[in-house]
Amino acid sequence: MNLRVEYKVEDFLKDESFICYILDVSSEAASEWENLLREYPELARKAAQAKAILTGEDTTYQLSCDEIVLWKQQLMDSIISLD
């Protein structure tokens, strides 16, 4: 069983692969996430909420300074690992 089936919104926000998928950094991540969300549609709502938070569309959830720093570092690490 894929552990991501149990994900909460917060888990999506911490998942490097999900962040790459949302930011369209990796086609491999996109394929993996699209397949997972198609297989487990109940995750789609949570994934959509996490996407809205990451892209700034959802302003009801404000990231703390520590969360922003961590997210930026994870993003940079992901980009660097693709090179």
Side-chain angles (χ1 to χ4, degrees):
M1 180 173 152
N2 190 322
L3 294 178
R4 290 177 171 153
V5 173
E6 305 283 328
Y7 264 22
K8 298 176 184 162
V9 173
E10 295 80 11
D11 298 317
F12 285 103
L13 296 173
K14 297 174 185 174
D15 189 298
E16 183 178 325
S17 175
F18 181 75
I19 294 168
C20 286
Y21 164 59
I22 295 303
L23 299 177
D24 199 26
V25 175
S26 167
S27 60
E28 182 179 313
S31 176
E32 177 184 340
W33 280 103
E34 288 166 5
N35 289 336
L36 181 69
L37 295 175
R38 191 171 26 258
E39 186 175 346
Y40 299 98
E42 65 275 9
L43 286 179
R45 185 181 58 73
K46 295 174 189 175
Q49 186 178 1
K51 177 182 179 181
I53 292 168
L54 289 171
T55 59
E57 296 169 24
D58 181 348
T59 58
T60 59
Y61 180 88
Q62 298 296 316
L63 297 173
S64 70
C65 290
D66 289 340
E67 289 172 316
I68 291 170
V69 169
L70 178 62
W71 184 75
K72 285 182 180 179
Q73 185 59 50
Q74 288 176 334
L75 176 61
M76 291 305 297
D77 291 346
S78 297
I79 292 170
I80 290 169
S81 70
L82 293 175
D83 290 337

